[in-house]
Amino acid sequence: MHLPCEDRTLSPHTGFTRAHWEVAADALLAATEPYAAEGGALYQFPGAHTSWSGQLSDGLEGYARTLLLAAFRRDETVLERYADGLAAGVSGVWPRIEDRSQPLVEAASIALALRLTRPLLWDRLDDGVRERAVGWLGDALWAEAWPCNWELFPVTVGGFLKEIGYETEAAGKAIDRGLERIEGWYVGGGWYTDGDGRKYDYYNGWAMHLYPVLHAWLADDSRLLSLYGDRLEAHLADYAHLFGGDGAPLHQGRSLTYRFATTAPLWLGALTGRTPLTPGETRRLASGALKYFLDRGAVNADGLLTLGWHGPDEAVLQGYSGPASPYWASKAFLGLLLPPEHEVWTATEEPGPVERADVVRSIGAPNWLIQSTRSDGLVRLHNHGSEDVRYDPYYTRLAYSTVTTPSPSYDNSVIVGDDPSRTDIEPLGVGDGWAASRHAAGGGARVTSLVLAHGAVEVRAHLVTGAESGTPVRVTGWAGGGEGVRAEILPVVGLGSELSGVTGDGDSLFVAVVRLSGEVEAVALEDAVSVRRDNAGVLHVRWGDEGAVEARVDSAGVDVTVVR
């Protein structure tokens, strides 16, 4: 991909401008054209990997997700190609939209693209093509969705069909039904769980906020835009803290192969005016993420997005991941809907949160603690509330970061016996520099965990209850990071030099000091923090000369007092 020269005056942090986004979009679209099949109705990308929905569905996915990119780019010549593909697709090539089927997902991308480009694509189609197209899309109004972000796909299809006057009553009901269903998953503070339980990840941004806010904006519905816009604005106040100084998003959750789709809510806030971020900060975060992946092999020699994170990487895939799945990254180009003269494109880039100061930020809804350090640009997420056991290890570890990936040998875990399980996570709260939770562990034990954070340093305390006396317990820290990143862990209470210990006759406490850092001349970890446990079981933690914390962890929960 041949990008323009960097502009370090307008964009001192990334060098990227709108021209870089336009060239990247054009290059991605051009690279997919040779893989069009069946009159352009399918895009069959190379590779042996297919999703559990099969090759035909994967080909539809290739059409729908690259069409979304073409819609944001608004290139009439490219859209003509997709008009031909649409005509072929609805003439019998595409699989029907059925209950809980992948075509329901792709129908939402197609409907959104048609709604965004109506004068350029839809209005130019022959009547017969339009009739067949609404017939195919219409099945989405009645199709049963999986009880998660999928509930928003009939909403998105219904928004387009209602706008063009097709089955308006049914379309309106599909919209209302989907929006009503996600209400039960809104937990406040700008956060949704992706269905029942406590599934918190990037789907908050690229699905749970994206579709309702875009629908409200396109429908010019001030009531809905106020409701969902307020939630988006609150979400972005937290979300901006999830990007590292190198542009990397946190490596947590499922569908990570969507990569720079993580920028979609940033652009959405600018597009709708519902954001706490300045235009320069918005572009810096978004361009940083795009640059991060382009610089690290996300696009292969043929110009195609690969199934992976940097380059190909099956570890981040799910069963539904097909060759075209990465093209949900198209959502990142939402910002191109903003005209070149918009201030998000003309303002000088401003530093993101990780570049301004060291931050330890509690996020109440998911019970997360964000810990970032300015000197090395690293962001760490302490997870004491998100769980989706279907996708372990990207939910069940105690911590994630922008520079590490979960290790098969169980990083950031408490291993009771020989069982690293962490299930049935119960949030116990977050506060000023701390987060805590309780979970089910091996052998029927329960583990109450507390993390205290300051700068790059962490104190992790784990109380094991319900285990037989003499049960071995091992604590692990961060997996090795990239070049120049150092992972350290030191035993403090209940642990030997191998970070292992055994339970006693009753509740047993294990404490370690941990650090993940890219700082070249960091103070020795043993000098950065001191930890003492008194006879009453209270932990006394002192952060060098920068304050202290007193904490108690027992079977009733945790109690933390910050001592200034």
Side-chain angles (χ1 to χ4, degrees):
M1 186 179 294
H2 300 289
L3 296 173
C5 294
E6 293 184 353
D7 184 341
R8 291 287 172 172
T9 301
L10 183 62
S11 303
H13 297 275
T14 69
F16 273 29
T17 65
R18 181 185 173 94
H20 291 78
W21 284 86
E22 291 173 342
V23 169
D26 292 342
L28 289 171
L29 286 168
T32 65
E33 186 173 5
Y35 302 97
E38 297 290 344
L42 308 174
Y43 282 72
Q44 302 283 15
F45 298 128
H49 190 96
T50 58
S51 76
W52 56 30
S53 297
Q55 189 174 27
L56 179 60
S57 177
D58 290 349
L60 169 60
E61 184 174 75
Y63 173 89
R65 298 188 179 195
T66 57
L67 168 62
L68 192 59
L69 175 55
F72 293 142
R73 185 66 180 99
R74 302 180 69 83
D75 184 317
E76 294 188 45
T77 301
V78 175
L79 288 172
E80 286 178 7
R81 186 172 96 212
Y82 284 93
D84 294 338
L86 178 67
V90 298
S91 296
V93 175
W94 290 345
R96 286 193 59 188
I97 300 168
E98 298 176 329
D99 291 347
R100 299 187 174 187
S101 66
Q102 189 65 29
L104 176 59
V105 182
E106 309 317 322
S109 289
I110 292 170
L112 179 57
L114 293 174
R115 195 175 185 186
L116 289 168
T117 62
R118 184 175 171 184
L120 303 177
L121 203 168
W122 179 258
D123 291 348
R124 299 180 182 181
L125 295 173
D126 294 340
D127 290 343
V129 173
R130 286 201 293 262
E131 183 178 347
R132 290 188 291 275
V134 296
W136 184 81
L137 287 167
D139 286 344
L141 302 180
W142 292 275
E144 181 182 357
W146 287 105
C148 61
N149 67 87
W150 278 48
E151 298 283 8
L152 293 169
F153 300 140
V155 171
T156 305
V157 175
F160 171 65
L161 294 180
K162 185 177 181 181
E163 181 180 288
I164 63 172
Y166 177 82
E167 293 282 2
T168 55
E169 182 177 354
K173 288 181 178 179
I175 294 167
D176 294 342
R177 182 173 61 249
L179 295 180
E180 179 180 350
R181 286 179 176 174
I182 70 168
E183 280 305 294
W185 303 327
Y186 184 68
V187 293
W191 287 85
Y192 293 87
T193 176
D194 187 19
D196 293 337
R198 299 188 57 83
K199 306 176 184 72
Y200 299 102
D201 60 16
Y202 286 116
Y203 274 87
N204 263 273
W206 62 44
M208 305 304 289
H209 285 287
L210 181 71
Y211 295 114
V213 174
L214 270 183
H215 168 70
W217 180 69
L218 289 167
D220 196 22
D221 188 321
S222 59
R223 182 187 67 83
L224 287 182
L225 189 56
S226 177
L227 173 66
Y228 297 120
D230 283 354
R231 294 178 181 180
L232 172 64
E233 193 162 355
H235 183 69
L236 289 174
D238 292 330
Y239 194 77
H241 290 266
L242 306 186
F243 295 87
D246 58 0
L250 276 164
H251 200 80
Q252 179 267 344
R254 64 188 175 102
S255 299
L256 291 179
T257 194
Y258 302 161
R259 295 181 174 102
F260 37 85
T262 53
T263 68
L266 301 170
W267 293 122
L268 184 63
L271 182 69
T272 59
R274 305 309 298 260
T275 179
L277 310 178
T278 66
E281 185 179 4
T282 295
R283 194 176 77 253
R284 186 271 173 273
L285 294 173
S287 291
L290 178 63
K291 180 178 172 60
Y292 174 83
F293 287 109
L294 294 184
D295 285 350
R296 289 167 176 79
V299 177
N300 67 17
D302 295 320
L304 299 176
L305 287 170
T306 58
L307 280 162
W309 180 248
H310 293 158
D313 181 2
E314 292 198 0
V316 301
L317 305 184
Q318 281 76 46
Y320 54 77
S321 302
S325 291
Y327 283 88
W328 242 23
S330 296
K331 294 180 177 183
F333 294 86
L334 179 70
L336 293 179
L337 294 180
L338 291 160
E341 63 273 14
H342 190 279
E343 59 184 348
V344 80
W345 295 117
T346 61
T348 302
E349 277 186 349
E350 298 177 26
V354 71
E355 296 165 302
R356 296 197 294 264
D358 288 0
V359 173
V360 179
R361 182 183 181 92
S362 60
I363 304 180
N367 212 66
W368 284 357
L369 189 70
I370 301 297
Q371 176 189 17
S372 65
T373 40
R374 180 176 180 271
S375 61
D376 53 17
L378 303 192
V379 179
R380 310 149 191 86
L381 161 63
H382 297 284
N383 171 35
H384 287 266
S386 181
E387 178 180 19
D388 186 344
V389 294
R390 297 173 301 170
Y391 301 107
D392 178 64
Y394 291 94
Y395 289 87
T396 56
R397 301 293 164 83
L398 285 160
Y400 299 89
S401 82
T402 54
V403 294
T404 59
T405 61
S407 166
S409 59
Y410 287 91
D411 62 297
N412 290 314
S413 298
V414 182
I415 301 169
V416 180
D418 60 356
D419 190 340
S421 298
R422 186 181 184 223
T423 59
D424 191 23
I425 297 173
E426 175 191 352
L428 297 178
V430 291
D432 186 4
W434 67 271
S437 62
R438 183 179 290 121
H439 69 269
R446 297 285 288 178
V447 178
T448 301
S449 296
L450 167 70
V451 62
L452 306 169
H454 179 83
V457 181
E458 313 157 30
V459 174
R460 299 184 186 180
H462 308 287
L463 184 76
V464 178
T465 62
E468 291 185 6
S469 178
T471 300
V473 174
R474 184 163 62 91
V475 172
T476 64
W478 293 99
E483 183 178 354
V485 177
R486 184 173 64 259
E488 303 168 88
I489 179 169
L490 297 175
V492 177
V493 175
L495 298 169
S497 59
E498 299 299 317
L499 298 165
S500 297
V502 295
T503 57
D505 291 332
D507 299 347
S508 301
L509 184 67
F510 304 90
V511 182
V513 174
V514 180
R515 180 166 62 186
L516 179 72
S517 176
E519 189 173 349
V520 176
E521 298 181 355
V523 174
L525 184 54
E526 55 267 33
D527 296 330
V529 60
S530 63
V531 182
R532 176 178 60 87
R533 187 189 189 197
D534 66 22
N535 292 334
V538 176
L539 290 175
H540 299 265
V541 178
R542 176 163 292 281
W543 310 110
D545 297 327
E546 300 180 14
V549 177
E550 295 178 355
R552 178 188 294 275
V553 183
D554 57 32
S555 57
V558 301
D559 183 32
V560 179
T561 302
V562 178
V563 182
R564 297 298 181 187

